[in-house]
Amino acid sequence: MTKKILYCATVDYHFKAFHLPYMKWFKEQGWDVDVAAAGNINLPYTDNQYNIPIERSPFSKLNIEAYKQLKKVMSKNKYSIIHCHTPLGGVLTRLAAKQTRKQGTKVIYTAHGFHFCKGAPLINWLIYYPIEKYLSRYTDSLITINQEDYNIATKHRFKAERTEQIHGVGVDTVRYKPIDENKRTELKKSFGYHADDFLLFYAAEFNKNKNQQFLLRSLALLKEKVPNAKLLLAGEGALLEDCQQLANTLGISHMVDFLGFRKDIDQLLPMCDIAVASSYREGLPVNVMEAMACGLPVVAVDNRGHRELVQNNKTGWLLADWEPLAFANKIIALSSAVNMKGQLGQNGRNAIISKYSINKVLAEKEIIYRSYMEEEGEPVWAAH
């Protein structure tokens, strides 16, 4: 009997962006791979896709229907493993899987960054902490992607059968890689920039957490000393227009390019000079890892995910507070320190290759998966 795994998340794009290598791996092991999430994009390495109306808001009534649909999918298909992701995807999936877990299904949950963490608002601890701790008892393997989350789960005695840490979702270090100076100049010109433009890059949804306004205020403070600086902001979101207006107010609209949603980040990053990151909260940010894989030094504000990746004076700089002038000064320093910029970037790429490449993360996840694939004793339904 062919064994099956079900991947669950809030939206199906999550799998396209982060999990295709691991779904492919299961297909290579002869398993059926199903996906349950909101959306109907065409996913490879998938046998069945279930469009489940999961909403990001925990208060949406649609989530009641999503819970019921998930239970039906699980009851019908008899999965050996269910692997869930994203906060609401993780909540609904583990609740829906309570019965099938009693029959032998193993439930894995990857926390891509707890909403409660050091420095998080008190309301996050009051809402999300008790939910995650309660649901951990219905979790066979709780996977964290940074040290702080792992410490919280173990220190606070979450009830998952096992708690493990891996190095994120993995970065394709072949696709994301540095290029030589001639190629950089060609790429800059092809995208409409001058060879001597000093390009800063940040890819993120425009929302309160990602805090693009901070980058704009920092840019305004360096425009006199680095007049050839340009900030490239890729992404969409609710605060996009607010940021465009702020750029106008600060008199830097000519120095900012709002790129919208992009599928060519692997082309944009290598031509840039540094990556910047301003968010309040991160799990283990893919945008920073991709930039480091391309050999870019990183200037970021200190948070849980950034401090996992960025080492001061080795791969870039971490600023202790959201102080625009201090942030601007680090960018100014890098703009004239070509050798330092190159060395920081090379160190960053080496760090990504050694710990965070897709192959490294796949090896970590394979150990977890195989521990359930090869356990003695079949689920009670597997013999039928």
Side-chain angles (χ1 to χ4, degrees):
M1 180 178 179
T2 301
K3 290 191 176 183
K4 302 177 182 179
I5 181 170
L6 175 67
Y7 281 93
C8 300
T10 304
V11 294
D12 56 4
Y13 184 78
H14 182 82
F15 300 112
K16 183 176 181 180
F18 305 123
H19 300 293
L20 293 185
Y22 313 107
M23 294 160 64
K24 177 185 178 185
W25 181 83
F26 265 100
K27 293 299 296 179
E28 291 170 348
Q29 313 311 307
W31 281 50
D32 283 351
V33 177
D34 290 359
V35 167
N40 54 13
I41 62 174
N42 185 33
L43 290 171
Y45 318 119
T46 306
D47 293 281
N48 297 291
Q49 291 182 233
Y50 298 96
N51 187 351
I52 307 290
I54 301 174
E55 292 288 323
R56 287 184 177 179
S57 169
F59 308 108
S60 172
K61 293 181 180 179
L62 281 175
N63 285 326
I64 298 174
E65 178 60 27
Y67 164 77
K68 294 177 180 177
Q69 290 186 26
L70 281 170
K71 284 191 70 173
K72 288 180 181 178
V73 169
M74 294 172 188
S75 177
K76 171 186 173 185
N77 291 298
K78 313 299 185 186
Y79 296 103
S80 296
I81 298 174
I82 296 173
H83 193 168
C84 52
H85 303 264
T86 66
L88 258 295
V91 168
L92 295 177
T93 300
R94 285 180 287 175
L95 289 174
K98 285 168 64 176
Q99 186 58 41
T100 189
R101 188 166 173 260
K102 292 177 181 178
Q103 298 174 307
T105 299
K106 299 301 181 182
V107 176
I108 303 171
Y109 169 56
T110 297
H112 293 270
F114 289 138
H115 282 294
F116 48 92
C117 57
K118 182 180 179 181
L122 177 61
I123 190 68
N124 286 24
W125 283 91
L126 294 174
I127 294 176
Y128 294 105
Y129 172 78
I131 291 173
E132 288 288 2
K133 185 164 186 180
Y134 171 76
L135 288 174
S136 67
R137 70 189 65 194
Y138 302 115
T139 310
D140 292 286
S141 179
L142 169 60
I143 299 176
T144 62
I145 61 171
N146 60 62
Q147 189 65 48
E148 184 176 322
D149 284 356
Y150 178 82
N151 291 344
I152 287 174
T154 52
K155 179 181 177 181
H156 291 260
R157 298 180 181 177
F158 281 30
K159 302 294 185 182
E161 292 291 327
R162 289 155 46 182
T163 301
E164 330 220 24
Q165 182 184 352
I166 64 172
H167 291 89
V169 296
V171 178
D172 185 340
T173 54
V174 175
R175 181 182 174 194
Y176 292 92
K177 61 185 178 182
I179 56 178
D180 62 38
E181 283 302 314
N182 289 335
K183 182 64 175 174
R184 288 180 74 244
T185 298
E186 290 176 15
L187 263 181
K188 282 185 176 183
K189 290 180 178 178
S190 72
F191 281 101
Y193 299 105
H194 298 295
D196 62 347
D197 282 343
F198 190 72
L199 303 183
L200 322 176
F201 193 85
Y202 187 51
E205 180 182 351
F206 282 82
N207 60 36
K208 184 177 178 180
N209 177 54
K210 298 303 183 181
N211 196 20
Q212 283 91 343
Q213 292 95 331
F214 172 81
L215 298 177
L216 296 172
R217 293 190 175 94
S218 298
L219 185 65
L221 296 174
L222 61 82
K223 65 180 180 180
E224 302 298 332
K225 292 188 177 180
V226 193
N228 59 327
K230 292 196 179 296
L231 175 61
L232 280 56
L233 296 174
E236 299 173 334
L239 296 183
L240 173 57
E241 290 187 7
D242 289 355
C243 287
Q244 291 171 327
Q245 181 58 50
L246 179 60
N248 285 327
T249 301
L250 294 171
I252 56 171
S253 56
H254 64 292
M255 301 176 70
V256 185
D257 281 346
F258 295 93
L259 303 177
F261 177 78
R262 302 298 290 242
K263 295 183 179 180
D264 57 351
I265 300 296
D266 58 329
Q267 294 292 304
L268 293 165
L269 269 173
M271 73 175 182
C272 293
D273 293 277
I274 67 173
V276 290
S278 52
S279 51
Y280 293 111
R281 185 189 72 252
E282 292 288 353
L284 196 68
V286 172
N287 59 348
V288 173
M289 290 191 285
E290 289 173 346
M292 291 172 67
C294 290
L296 272 61
V298 181
V299 179
V301 183
D302 187 21
N303 66 35
R304 167 189 56 184
H306 292 163
R307 81 176 67 101
E308 196 97 354
L309 296 169
V310 183
Q311 293 179 269
N312 275 321
N313 299 314
K314 186 172 182 181
T315 60
W317 282 301
L318 280 180
L319 281 297
D321 296 301
W322 283 264
E323 172 47 58
L325 182 58
F327 199 89
N329 284 336
K330 290 300 184 185
I331 296 172
I332 292 168
L334 275 178
S335 70
S336 59
V338 177
N339 291 337
M340 179 191 293
K341 183 167 71 72
Q343 188 58 60
L344 294 173
Q346 183 59 54
N347 292 343
R349 176 158 174 87
N350 292 342
I352 294 300
I353 291 174
S354 67
K355 289 184 178 180
Y356 302 97
S357 70
I358 284 176
N359 289 339
K360 295 288 186 180
V361 176
L362 177 57
E364 293 174 337
K365 292 178 81 169
E366 183 177 344
I367 292 172
I368 297 170
Y369 284 141
R370 286 202 182 279
S371 69
Y372 297 122
M373 296 164 77
E374 298 172 356
E375 279 188 345
E376 291 186 13
E378 294 289 315
V380 297
W381 39 257
H384 299 290

